[in-house]
Amino acid sequence: LDLSRVLAGPWSTQLLADLGADVIKVENPNRGDDTRQWGPPYLKDKETGENCVGESAYFHCCNRNKRSVAVDFRTKEGQDIIKKLVLKSDIVVENFKVGKLAEYGR
């Protein structure tokens, strides 16, 4: 279960996914992972050739071979979803600041 963001966490889970692990990336339901906006370069629309803002090449490189789910940690419902996913996961990768993840519940 990938609760990480930015570089070190997504890269480590990308390596696991490349080696065959079933990795579930958890993203913010309102804007997705922060790195979706990191560009240029952005992916190009197949039909128009225009940049797809919100689809950075960086994000797709660090999150390839993963499944993705949008969950709001701040809500009770979101916390319940995360807890269920944790119970079904072999590992959980997170890189929040110390103590920050605990603010969302145990």
Side-chain angles (χ1 to χ4, degrees):
L1 183 63
D2 184 357
L3 302 176
S4 66
R5 49 180 295 278
V6 184
L7 178 59
W11 184 59
S12 67
T13 55
Q14 170 216 306
L15 292 174
L16 293 171
D18 288 350
L19 293 170
D22 181 16
V23 178
I24 301 171
K25 169 77 174 165
V26 178
E27 297 187 60
N28 181 302
N30 298 318
R31 66 181 181 278
D33 187 85
D34 294 339
T35 61
R36 282 186 179 273
Q37 307 297 321
W38 287 14
Y42 293 104
L43 297 184
K44 301 277 186 189
D45 183 281
K46 289 180 183 179
E47 293 178 15
T48 66
E50 297 292 320
N51 286 336
C52 298
V53 177
E55 294 298 322
S56 72
Y58 177 91
F59 171 81
H60 286 278
C61 287
C62 285
N63 292 288
R64 65 177 181 245
N65 295 324
K66 300 178 190 180
R67 295 190 290 158
S68 182
V69 62
V71 179
D72 188 348
F73 291 2
R74 298 170 296 176
T75 67
K76 172 82 168 93
E77 180 185 28
Q79 291 168 9
D80 290 344
I81 291 169
I82 295 296
K83 288 174 185 175
K84 287 177 184 174
L85 288 170
V86 166
L87 291 173
K88 293 181 178 188
S89 299
D90 291 322
I91 64 168
V92 176
V93 176
E94 60 89 6
N95 60 350
F96 287 84
K97 292 180 181 177
V98 175
K100 188 68 175 171
L101 190 58
E103 292 178 15
Y104 297 109
R106 298 192 185 268

